[in-house]
Amino acid sequence: MALSGMRGLSVFISDVRNCQNKEQERLRVDKELGNIRTRFKNEKGLTPYEKKKYVWKMLYIHMLGYDVDFGHMEAVSLISAPKYPEKQVGYIVTSCLLNENHDFLRLAINTVRNDIVGRNETFQCLALTLVGNIGGREFAESLAPDVQKLLISSSCRPLVRKKAALCLLRLFRKNPDVMNVDSWSDRMAQLLDERDLGVVTSSMSLLVALVSNNHEEYWNCLPKCVKVLERLARNQDVPQEYTYYGIPSPWLQVKTMRALQYFPTIEDPDTRRSLFEVLQRILMGTDVVKNVNKNNASHAVLFEALALVMHLDAEKEMMSQCVALLGKFIAVREPNIRYLGLENMTRMLMVTDVQDIIKRHQAQIITSLKDPDISIRRRALDLLYGMCDVSNAKDIVEELLQYLSTAEFVMREELSLKIAILAEKFAPDLSWYVDVVLQLIDKAGDFVSDDIWFRVVQFVTNNEDLQPYAALKAREYLDKPAIHETMVKVSAYVLGEYSHLLARRPGCSPKEIFSIIHEKLPTVTTSTIPILLSTYAKILMHTQPPDLELQNQIWAIFRKYEGCIDVEIQQRAVEYLELSKKGAALMDILAEMPKFPERQSSLIKKAEETEADTADQSAIKWRAQQQNSNALIVTDQHPANGTPPISQLGPVKVPSRSNVDCDSADQREAQSNGTLTVVDPQPPSTSSPDLLGDLLSPLAIEGPQPAENQSDHNLGAGVKGDTIGEDALALAPIEEQMNTVQPIGSIAERFHALCLKDSGVLYEDPNIQIGTKAEWRAHHGRLILFLGNKNTSPLASVQAIILSPSHLRTELSLVPETIPPRAQVQCPLEVVNLRPSRDVAVLDFSYKFGTHLVNVKLRLPAVLNKFFQPITVSAEEFFPQWRSLSGPPLKLQEVVRGVRPMPLLEMANLFNSFQLIVCPGLDPNTNNLVASTTFYSESTRAMLCLVRIETDPADRTQLRMTVASGDPTLTFELKEFIKEQLVSIPTAPQAAAPPVPPQPQPTSPPPPSSDPGALLAGLL
């Protein structure tokens, strides 16, 4: 900023800098603001020099952090000045003081356009800088065509075209509709052929944004990107000013490789070969040097090349080279390079057949656990956790147990959880698993959650061969003079149940077991005393013949706690005392705990909840979910009073009293997201109920149906309810068979969760996990299906078919017929919304594991609200739109009954979660809500939707809903969608019921004109 000659501005800056404290500075600033305000009131007497000087002062005051709420008009007026000094001040101050929603910007649009289309390159650059900094939808609609002409103009200098490309990028991010895809595909290809690298770099930034939104229209740019990489890799025609420490334009290389990652694959063999030659040159030519700046640039290019290699699923030889290069990086002294090496090696775990190569660097990764930098230690821990399998589990777990003693307290809880999960997944035998968890509790008891020792109890209870060993280990740990309270809990529980199996061992008589446990009683808290009382009762029950001395000691303890203030302790003491007097009947009353049913591992579930759902950690998360253990044997999932044979593999549930109560309900839980069919070679012994029973009874309200797709034939009614489909998308009847492969978790809950977020698990069973990650832009969507094989054997005959409703156009990439062991494949799915509808697409997925052919039909979360773009409207925008939509079919009203009572704030949050933004202050009645959103489809484009909810404080179970939009089909579908959310709030899973055909209900009659709500609606 040229301030030469502005003595007043220089004096003011000096005065501010010389202030002794903040108060003096504030007084000096207030004085200057008052002076500026006074001078601006007499604007006609101001010379251009004075106006420029005072606007500079306003900017300086704004930079100091003070609020400048006047003088904006004067700043905007300088934009239209004919001379460069005044125009420069106007553009700079306007872009700093005003935002895209300021009303004064509308006054400057014509002046900015004149500068853009003019011949003065300096003025063009100033105007483009202002538009790029402020952006805004109004600027995008008004100025985008002029900026596009400037970019493709051959008569403009590269300096102007670079700014035009970056300005257009900002406008596209604000409003993607400013770019006409049909005409811009060829133009982008031409821009990539430019000789000037500055224009190419700016155009590549624009291309990255375009292909991230819709790569299908820009396939002709792919070979151009490869040619740009070839030009840079061979250092052909690269000016010296674009060479950074000997590296040809590293920023352009990074952007080009990032753009290539948005294309699913490269089919042309010549282009693919050329690209791999460039990547090979990058991999071979990158090494660690002493110059930090050169290191940063070269590694930025290298790590982007690694990401592209993983994306293209290169040959195993190149993958091995990538891992070897990363192995070299994690051994250098520079901590930043070690961190990046560990992080990218963790990402490499997602690639098939690379884990064995990564294992060669296991020793160096373990060494990184001792690094002084905690961030490097965290990355090393994540990498060890992701690369662990049956072959190296013992070594890794042993190293992690040793590291546990010296780890920071902030890491110990996470470390303990990961040790427990690895021990559970990859235990060669159950005795090793028990040893590991008991060591874990002994070394880090404060950081071991109850879920971990619950898990030990489950495996000990469900495996008879393990019970004597576990009881003996618990007895050994109790001999220690000081042990953690969690160790007391697990030892007391195990010895209470199985100490009688050690009766013949020295030091293991009932009296000695009681004595050593009772020594710990004074050191424990009230939460552990109930477990010890249960242990005493069990020991008394197993003492045969009865020992009167032991009996009197235990009875004395029970009597001592009969008057305890803690209700749980008091109740147990009283009941155990009375039960112990029953004699022989005590054996039946206090029999051993039954075997626990098969459930999802609570530890793995907890790990999923604690991990952030980011791309950087996705490899670890997927590995944790995909890998499965064949060592932890659990008994039959239908326990009886007797001893069932050991027959199945899998995890069991946390031992709590609620587990047994909920078991029957959980086994009857309806998988309402789809149907699961397992074709077993053995004839089924029983038939399974229809799993779609509770899905097929939504609220059906008569209304204007879409001409092309009748809503009463919906395959899935939006997010919460489904109706029976009778067209080609309807689910075919499935024979009732014995489901030998059951899904893990509720499929319906997973689907509903994905309707509110863009990434997560769609389906999981013991063999496979299907996850999704989605991006939504206007009426386009891109879902990536992650298919992860959790077993050590391949999954064969894999098929995935998208059953798409008529309002969606879908395209699924090729799905491999076989998924290798413990591997993951990615299958991109492109979705285009053609018109409004609540129907959902269905993924018909099947695979073969062993002799079992499993088929499952899953709803995909490409639902109505995914094509909403929230928008907040003001009163000046809302009321003209509301009045223009006078009545049916553009404006529909209905009284909805049976609504779950909820506070108004909770209802507002529910609307916001589905991208319907509540606009406060528009309705004078505080018991009402007004919401708005923009719906995108190919037929409607961007369509504003308005919703008004009128509630009655005296009766929250009913409300009146008015929905308005410019499309009758959209109005009806949105009304039904909102009604489903208000009436069909997700509740606890219930048993599947037979399917009930939906009964259409008549639309509620309009309210009489004398109703106050109707009068208010008329005013609105």
Short mmCIF file of all heavy atoms in Angstrom, two decimals, residues 73-122:
data_model
loop_
_atom_site.label_atom_id
_atom_site.label_comp_id
_atom_site.label_asym_id
_atom_site.label_seq_id
_atom_site.Cartn_x
_atom_site.Cartn_y
_atom_site.Cartn_z
N MET A 73 -20.13 3.61 2.19
CA MET A 73 -20.55 4.20 0.91
C MET A 73 -19.40 4.96 0.27
O MET A 73 -19.20 4.91 -0.96
CB MET A 73 -21.74 5.12 1.15
CG MET A 73 -22.35 5.67 -0.12
SD MET A 73 -23.02 4.33 -1.13
CE MET A 73 -23.37 5.23 -2.65
N GLU A 74 -18.62 5.67 1.09
CA GLU A 74 -17.49 6.41 0.55
C GLU A 74 -16.45 5.47 -0.05
O GLU A 74 -15.84 5.77 -1.09
CB GLU A 74 -16.86 7.27 1.65
CG GLU A 74 -17.63 8.51 2.03
CD GLU A 74 -18.88 8.19 2.85
OE1 GLU A 74 -19.01 7.04 3.31
OE2 GLU A 74 -19.73 9.08 3.03
N ALA A 75 -16.24 4.32 0.63
CA ALA A 75 -15.28 3.35 0.10
C ALA A 75 -15.75 2.78 -1.22
O ALA A 75 -14.96 2.64 -2.18
CB ALA A 75 -15.05 2.24 1.12
N VAL A 76 -17.04 2.45 -1.31
CA VAL A 76 -17.58 1.89 -2.55
C VAL A 76 -17.52 2.91 -3.68
O VAL A 76 -17.25 2.58 -4.85
CB VAL A 76 -19.01 1.37 -2.31
CG1 VAL A 76 -19.65 0.94 -3.63
CG2 VAL A 76 -19.01 0.20 -1.34
N SER A 77 -17.78 4.18 -3.34
CA SER A 77 -17.79 5.21 -4.38
C SER A 77 -16.41 5.41 -5.02
O SER A 77 -16.30 5.84 -6.16
CB SER A 77 -18.29 6.53 -3.80
OG SER A 77 -17.39 7.02 -2.81
N LEU A 78 -15.35 5.10 -4.26
CA LEU A 78 -14.01 5.25 -4.83
C LEU A 78 -13.73 4.25 -5.95
O LEU A 78 -12.81 4.43 -6.74
CB LEU A 78 -12.95 5.09 -3.72
CG LEU A 78 -12.80 6.27 -2.76
CD1 LEU A 78 -11.83 5.92 -1.64
CD2 LEU A 78 -12.31 7.51 -3.50
N ILE A 79 -14.51 3.14 -5.99
CA ILE A 79 -14.30 2.15 -7.05
C ILE A 79 -14.55 2.75 -8.42
O ILE A 79 -13.88 2.40 -9.41
CB ILE A 79 -15.22 0.92 -6.81
CG1 ILE A 79 -14.81 0.20 -5.52
CG2 ILE A 79 -15.17 -0.04 -7.97
CD1 ILE A 79 -15.68 -0.98 -5.17
N SER A 80 -15.47 3.68 -8.50
CA SER A 80 -15.81 4.28 -9.80
C SER A 80 -14.91 5.46 -10.15
O SER A 80 -15.14 6.13 -11.17
CB SER A 80 -17.27 4.74 -9.79
OG SER A 80 -17.50 5.67 -8.72
N ALA A 81 -13.90 5.76 -9.33
CA ALA A 81 -12.98 6.86 -9.64
C ALA A 81 -12.20 6.53 -10.90
O ALA A 81 -11.84 5.37 -11.16
CB ALA A 81 -12.03 7.10 -8.47
N PRO A 82 -11.88 7.56 -11.69
CA PRO A 82 -11.17 7.29 -12.96
C PRO A 82 -9.69 7.04 -12.78
O PRO A 82 -9.07 6.43 -13.67
CB PRO A 82 -11.42 8.57 -13.77
CG PRO A 82 -11.61 9.65 -12.74
CD PRO A 82 -12.26 8.99 -11.56
N LYS A 83 -9.10 7.48 -11.69
CA LYS A 83 -7.67 7.35 -11.50
C LYS A 83 -7.33 6.11 -10.67
O LYS A 83 -8.10 5.71 -9.80
CB LYS A 83 -7.12 8.60 -10.82
CG LYS A 83 -7.25 9.85 -11.64
CD LYS A 83 -6.63 11.04 -10.93
CE LYS A 83 -6.75 12.32 -11.77
NZ LYS A 83 -6.14 13.49 -11.10
N TYR A 84 -6.15 5.57 -10.94
CA TYR A 84 -5.74 4.33 -10.28
C TYR A 84 -5.61 4.46 -8.76
O TYR A 84 -6.09 3.59 -8.03
CB TYR A 84 -4.43 3.82 -10.87
CG TYR A 84 -3.88 2.62 -10.14
CD1 TYR A 84 -4.42 1.35 -10.33
CD2 TYR A 84 -2.83 2.76 -9.25
CE1 TYR A 84 -3.94 0.26 -9.65
CE2 TYR A 84 -2.33 1.68 -8.56
CZ TYR A 84 -2.89 0.43 -8.76
OH TYR A 84 -2.41 -0.66 -8.08
N PRO A 85 -4.98 5.52 -8.19
CA PRO A 85 -4.82 5.57 -6.72
C PRO A 85 -6.14 5.49 -5.97
O PRO A 85 -6.26 4.75 -5.00
CB PRO A 85 -4.10 6.90 -6.50
CG PRO A 85 -3.38 7.18 -7.77
CD PRO A 85 -4.28 6.66 -8.84
N GLU A 86 -7.15 6.28 -6.42
CA GLU A 86 -8.45 6.23 -5.74
C GLU A 86 -9.14 4.89 -5.97
O GLU A 86 -9.73 4.31 -5.06
CB GLU A 86 -9.34 7.37 -6.25
CG GLU A 86 -8.95 8.75 -5.76
CD GLU A 86 -7.80 9.32 -6.56
OE1 GLU A 86 -7.46 8.74 -7.62
OE2 GLU A 86 -7.21 10.34 -6.12
N LYS A 87 -9.07 4.36 -7.20
CA LYS A 87 -9.73 3.07 -7.50
C LYS A 87 -9.09 1.94 -6.69
O LYS A 87 -9.77 1.06 -6.19
CB LYS A 87 -9.64 2.79 -9.00
CG LYS A 87 -10.44 1.58 -9.44
CD LYS A 87 -10.32 1.37 -10.93
CE LYS A 87 -11.10 2.41 -11.70
NZ LYS A 87 -12.57 2.17 -11.61
N GLN A 88 -7.75 1.99 -6.55
CA GLN A 88 -7.07 0.95 -5.76
C GLN A 88 -7.55 0.97 -4.31
O GLN A 88 -7.83 -0.07 -3.72
CB GLN A 88 -5.56 1.17 -5.83
CG GLN A 88 -4.77 0.17 -5.00
CD GLN A 88 -3.38 0.68 -4.64
OE1 GLN A 88 -3.20 1.89 -4.51
NE2 GLN A 88 -2.45 -0.23 -4.46
N VAL A 89 -7.64 2.19 -3.74
CA VAL A 89 -8.12 2.30 -2.36
C VAL A 89 -9.54 1.76 -2.24
O VAL A 89 -9.88 1.02 -1.32
CB VAL A 89 -8.04 3.77 -1.88
CG1 VAL A 89 -8.62 3.90 -0.49
CG2 VAL A 89 -6.61 4.25 -1.91
N GLY A 90 -10.39 2.13 -3.19
CA GLY A 90 -11.78 1.67 -3.13
C GLY A 90 -11.89 0.16 -3.16
O GLY A 90 -12.63 -0.45 -2.38
N TYR A 91 -11.15 -0.51 -4.06
CA TYR A 91 -11.22 -1.96 -4.17
C TYR A 91 -10.66 -2.64 -2.90
O TYR A 91 -11.26 -3.60 -2.39
CB TYR A 91 -10.45 -2.43 -5.39
CG TYR A 91 -11.26 -2.42 -6.67
CD1 TYR A 91 -10.91 -1.60 -7.74
CD2 TYR A 91 -12.37 -3.23 -6.81
CE1 TYR A 91 -11.64 -1.58 -8.91
CE2 TYR A 91 -13.12 -3.23 -7.98
CZ TYR A 91 -12.76 -2.40 -9.02
OH TYR A 91 -13.51 -2.40 -10.17
N ILE A 92 -9.53 -2.17 -2.41
CA ILE A 92 -8.91 -2.82 -1.25
C ILE A 92 -9.80 -2.68 -0.02
O ILE A 92 -10.08 -3.66 0.68
CB ILE A 92 -7.51 -2.23 -1.00
CG1 ILE A 92 -6.56 -2.61 -2.13
CG2 ILE A 92 -6.96 -2.72 0.34
CD1 ILE A 92 -5.17 -2.01 -1.99
N VAL A 93 -10.26 -1.46 0.27
CA VAL A 93 -11.05 -1.23 1.48
C VAL A 93 -12.41 -1.92 1.38
O VAL A 93 -12.91 -2.49 2.35
CB VAL A 93 -11.21 0.28 1.73
CG1 VAL A 93 -12.09 0.53 2.96
CG2 VAL A 93 -9.85 0.92 1.92
N THR A 94 -13.02 -1.91 0.19
CA THR A 94 -14.31 -2.59 0.04
C THR A 94 -14.18 -4.08 0.29
O THR A 94 -15.02 -4.70 0.97
CB THR A 94 -14.86 -2.33 -1.37
OG1 THR A 94 -15.03 -0.93 -1.56
CG2 THR A 94 -16.19 -3.04 -1.56
N SER A 95 -13.14 -4.71 -0.25
CA SER A 95 -12.98 -6.16 -0.06
C SER A 95 -12.67 -6.52 1.39
O SER A 95 -12.94 -7.64 1.82
CB SER A 95 -11.87 -6.68 -0.97
OG SER A 95 -10.63 -6.07 -0.63
N CYS A 96 -12.12 -5.56 2.17
CA CYS A 96 -11.80 -5.85 3.58
C CYS A 96 -12.98 -5.57 4.51
O CYS A 96 -13.19 -6.29 5.48
CB CYS A 96 -10.59 -5.02 4.02
SG CYS A 96 -9.04 -5.49 3.23
N LEU A 97 -13.74 -4.50 4.23
CA LEU A 97 -14.79 -4.08 5.17
C LEU A 97 -16.15 -4.74 4.90
O LEU A 97 -16.93 -4.90 5.83
CB LEU A 97 -14.97 -2.57 5.11
CG LEU A 97 -13.79 -1.71 5.58
CD1 LEU A 97 -14.17 -0.24 5.57
CD2 LEU A 97 -13.33 -2.11 6.98
N LEU A 98 -16.44 -5.12 3.67
CA LEU A 98 -17.77 -5.61 3.32
C LEU A 98 -17.73 -7.11 3.04
O LEU A 98 -16.73 -7.64 2.58
CB LEU A 98 -18.30 -4.87 2.08
CG LEU A 98 -18.32 -3.33 2.16
CD1 LEU A 98 -18.98 -2.75 0.94
CD2 LEU A 98 -19.02 -2.86 3.42
N ASN A 99 -18.85 -7.78 3.33
CA ASN A 99 -18.99 -9.18 3.00
C ASN A 99 -19.98 -9.35 1.85
O ASN A 99 -20.56 -8.37 1.36
CB ASN A 99 -19.43 -10.00 4.21
CG ASN A 99 -20.74 -9.52 4.80
OD1 ASN A 99 -21.67 -9.18 4.08
ND2 ASN A 99 -20.82 -9.47 6.12
N GLU A 100 -20.18 -10.58 1.42
CA GLU A 100 -20.97 -10.83 0.22
C GLU A 100 -22.44 -10.45 0.36
O GLU A 100 -23.13 -10.27 -0.64
CB GLU A 100 -20.88 -12.31 -0.15
CG GLU A 100 -21.41 -13.24 0.91
CD GLU A 100 -21.24 -14.70 0.54
OE1 GLU A 100 -20.13 -15.22 0.70
OE2 GLU A 100 -22.22 -15.29 0.07
N ASN A 101 -22.94 -10.32 1.61
CA ASN A 101 -24.36 -10.00 1.81
C ASN A 101 -24.61 -8.51 2.02
O ASN A 101 -25.75 -8.14 2.30
CB ASN A 101 -24.88 -10.79 3.02
CG ASN A 101 -24.77 -12.29 2.82
OD1 ASN A 101 -25.06 -12.79 1.74
ND2 ASN A 101 -24.36 -13.01 3.85
N HIS A 102 -23.61 -7.67 1.92
CA HIS A 102 -23.79 -6.25 2.18
C HIS A 102 -24.54 -5.59 1.02
O HIS A 102 -24.26 -5.84 -0.15
CB HIS A 102 -22.42 -5.58 2.38
CG HIS A 102 -22.49 -4.34 3.21
ND1 HIS A 102 -23.01 -3.16 2.74
CD2 HIS A 102 -22.11 -4.09 4.50
CE1 HIS A 102 -22.95 -2.24 3.69
NE2 HIS A 102 -22.40 -2.78 4.77
N ASP A 103 -25.49 -4.73 1.38
CA ASP A 103 -26.32 -4.10 0.35
C ASP A 103 -25.53 -3.15 -0.53
O ASP A 103 -25.87 -2.97 -1.71
CB ASP A 103 -27.46 -3.34 1.03
CG ASP A 103 -28.44 -4.28 1.73
OD1 ASP A 103 -28.52 -5.45 1.30
OD2 ASP A 103 -29.11 -3.85 2.68
N PHE A 104 -24.48 -2.51 -0.01
CA PHE A 104 -23.73 -1.55 -0.80
C PHE A 104 -23.02 -2.20 -1.99
O PHE A 104 -22.67 -1.51 -2.95
CB PHE A 104 -22.71 -0.82 0.08
CG PHE A 104 -23.32 0.23 0.96
CD1 PHE A 104 -22.65 0.70 2.09
CD2 PHE A 104 -24.57 0.77 0.67
CE1 PHE A 104 -23.22 1.66 2.90
CE2 PHE A 104 -25.14 1.74 1.47
CZ PHE A 104 -24.47 2.20 2.60
N LEU A 105 -22.80 -3.51 -1.92
CA LEU A 105 -22.09 -4.16 -3.03
C LEU A 105 -22.91 -4.13 -4.31
O LEU A 105 -22.35 -4.15 -5.41
CB LEU A 105 -21.76 -5.61 -2.65
CG LEU A 105 -20.59 -5.81 -1.69
CD1 LEU A 105 -20.39 -7.28 -1.41
CD2 LEU A 105 -19.31 -5.23 -2.27
N ARG A 106 -24.23 -4.11 -4.17
CA ARG A 106 -25.06 -4.05 -5.38
C ARG A 106 -24.81 -2.77 -6.17
O ARG A 106 -24.98 -2.74 -7.40
CB ARG A 106 -26.53 -4.16 -4.99
CG ARG A 106 -26.87 -5.47 -4.29
CD ARG A 106 -28.31 -5.50 -3.81
NE ARG A 106 -28.60 -6.74 -3.09
CZ ARG A 106 -29.75 -6.97 -2.46
NH1 ARG A 106 -30.70 -6.05 -2.46
NH2 ARG A 106 -29.94 -8.11 -1.82
N LEU A 107 -24.45 -1.70 -5.45
CA LEU A 107 -24.19 -0.43 -6.14
C LEU A 107 -22.92 -0.50 -6.98
O LEU A 107 -22.75 0.32 -7.90
CB LEU A 107 -24.06 0.69 -5.10
CG LEU A 107 -25.25 0.86 -4.14
CD1 LEU A 107 -24.95 1.95 -3.12
CD2 LEU A 107 -26.52 1.19 -4.91
N ALA A 108 -22.03 -1.43 -6.63
CA ALA A 108 -20.74 -1.49 -7.32
C ALA A 108 -20.68 -2.52 -8.43
O ALA A 108 -19.66 -2.62 -9.12
CB ALA A 108 -19.63 -1.78 -6.30
N ILE A 109 -21.74 -3.31 -8.62
CA ILE A 109 -21.68 -4.40 -9.60
C ILE A 109 -21.43 -3.86 -11.01
O ILE A 109 -20.58 -4.38 -11.75
CB ILE A 109 -22.97 -5.24 -9.54
CG1 ILE A 109 -22.99 -6.08 -8.25
CG2 ILE A 109 -23.08 -6.15 -10.74
CD1 ILE A 109 -24.20 -6.96 -8.11
N ASN A 110 -22.14 -2.81 -11.39
CA ASN A 110 -21.96 -2.28 -12.75
C ASN A 110 -20.56 -1.72 -12.95
O ASN A 110 -19.95 -1.91 -14.01
CB ASN A 110 -23.01 -1.20 -13.03
CG ASN A 110 -24.40 -1.80 -13.20
OD1 ASN A 110 -24.54 -2.95 -13.62
ND2 ASN A 110 -25.42 -1.04 -12.86
N THR A 111 -20.04 -1.04 -11.93
CA THR A 111 -18.68 -0.50 -12.05
C THR A 111 -17.66 -1.62 -12.17
O THR A 111 -16.71 -1.56 -12.98
CB THR A 111 -18.36 0.38 -10.84
OG1 THR A 111 -19.34 1.41 -10.72
CG2 THR A 111 -16.99 1.02 -10.97
N VAL A 112 -17.84 -2.68 -11.36
CA VAL A 112 -16.91 -3.82 -11.43
C VAL A 112 -16.99 -4.49 -12.79
O VAL A 112 -15.96 -4.86 -13.39
CB VAL A 112 -17.24 -4.81 -10.30
CG1 VAL A 112 -16.39 -6.07 -10.44
CG2 VAL A 112 -17.02 -4.19 -8.94
N ARG A 113 -18.22 -4.61 -13.34
CA ARG A 113 -18.35 -5.23 -14.66
C ARG A 113 -17.65 -4.37 -15.72
O ARG A 113 -17.00 -4.91 -16.63
CB ARG A 113 -19.83 -5.40 -15.01
CG ARG A 113 -20.01 -5.98 -16.42
CD ARG A 113 -21.45 -6.05 -16.88
NE ARG A 113 -22.17 -7.08 -16.19
CZ ARG A 113 -23.16 -6.85 -15.33
NH1 ARG A 113 -23.50 -5.60 -15.04
NH2 ARG A 113 -23.80 -7.83 -14.75
N ASN A 114 -17.81 -3.07 -15.63
CA ASN A 114 -17.15 -2.20 -16.61
C ASN A 114 -15.64 -2.33 -16.55
O ASN A 114 -14.96 -2.32 -17.58
CB ASN A 114 -17.56 -0.75 -16.36
CG ASN A 114 -19.04 -0.50 -16.67
OD1 ASN A 114 -19.63 -1.23 -17.47
ND2 ASN A 114 -19.63 0.49 -16.03
N ASP A 115 -15.10 -2.47 -15.35
CA ASP A 115 -13.65 -2.65 -15.24
C ASP A 115 -13.21 -4.00 -15.80
O ASP A 115 -12.11 -4.13 -16.35
CB ASP A 115 -13.22 -2.52 -13.78
CG ASP A 115 -13.26 -1.08 -13.29
OD1 ASP A 115 -13.22 -0.17 -14.14
OD2 ASP A 115 -13.34 -0.86 -12.07
N ILE A 116 -14.05 -5.05 -15.61
CA ILE A 116 -13.69 -6.38 -16.12
C ILE A 116 -13.68 -6.42 -17.64
O ILE A 116 -12.76 -6.97 -18.27
CB ILE A 116 -14.63 -7.46 -15.53
CG1 ILE A 116 -14.37 -7.63 -14.03
CG2 ILE A 116 -14.47 -8.79 -16.25
CD1 ILE A 116 -15.31 -8.61 -13.35
N VAL A 117 -14.68 -5.83 -18.26
CA VAL A 117 -14.79 -5.89 -19.72
C VAL A 117 -13.99 -4.78 -20.39
O VAL A 117 -13.90 -4.74 -21.63
CB VAL A 117 -16.27 -5.81 -20.16
CG1 VAL A 117 -17.06 -6.95 -19.57
CG2 VAL A 117 -16.88 -4.46 -19.76
N GLY A 118 -13.42 -3.89 -19.58
CA GLY A 118 -12.62 -2.80 -20.17
C GLY A 118 -11.28 -3.27 -20.69
O GLY A 118 -10.92 -4.46 -20.64
N ARG A 119 -10.49 -2.32 -21.19
CA ARG A 119 -9.22 -2.63 -21.80
C ARG A 119 -8.04 -2.38 -20.85
O ARG A 119 -6.91 -2.72 -21.18
CB ARG A 119 -9.03 -1.78 -23.06
CG ARG A 119 -10.00 -2.13 -24.18
CD ARG A 119 -9.76 -3.54 -24.67
NE ARG A 119 -10.64 -3.90 -25.77
CZ ARG A 119 -10.64 -5.08 -26.37
NH1 ARG A 119 -9.81 -6.01 -25.96
NH2 ARG A 119 -11.49 -5.33 -27.37
N ASN A 120 -8.29 -1.78 -19.70
CA ASN A 120 -7.21 -1.48 -18.77
C ASN A 120 -6.92 -2.72 -17.93
O ASN A 120 -7.74 -3.15 -17.11
CB ASN A 120 -7.61 -0.30 -17.87
CG ASN A 120 -6.44 0.22 -17.08
OD1 ASN A 120 -5.64 -0.54 -16.54
ND2 ASN A 120 -6.35 1.54 -16.99
N GLU A 121 -5.76 -3.34 -18.16
CA GLU A 121 -5.44 -4.59 -17.47
C GLU A 121 -5.31 -4.39 -15.96
O GLU A 121 -5.66 -5.27 -15.18
CB GLU A 121 -4.15 -5.17 -18.03
CG GLU A 121 -4.27 -5.62 -19.48
CD GLU A 121 -2.96 -6.18 -20.00
OE1 GLU A 121 -1.94 -6.02 -19.30
OE2 GLU A 121 -2.97 -6.76 -21.09
N THR A 122 -4.81 -3.25 -15.52
CA THR A 122 -4.67 -2.99 -14.09
C THR A 122 -6.04 -2.95 -13.42
O THR A 122 -6.24 -3.54 -12.35
CB THR A 122 -3.93 -1.67 -13.85
OG1 THR A 122 -2.70 -1.68 -14.55
CG2 THR A 122 -3.69 -1.45 -12.37
#
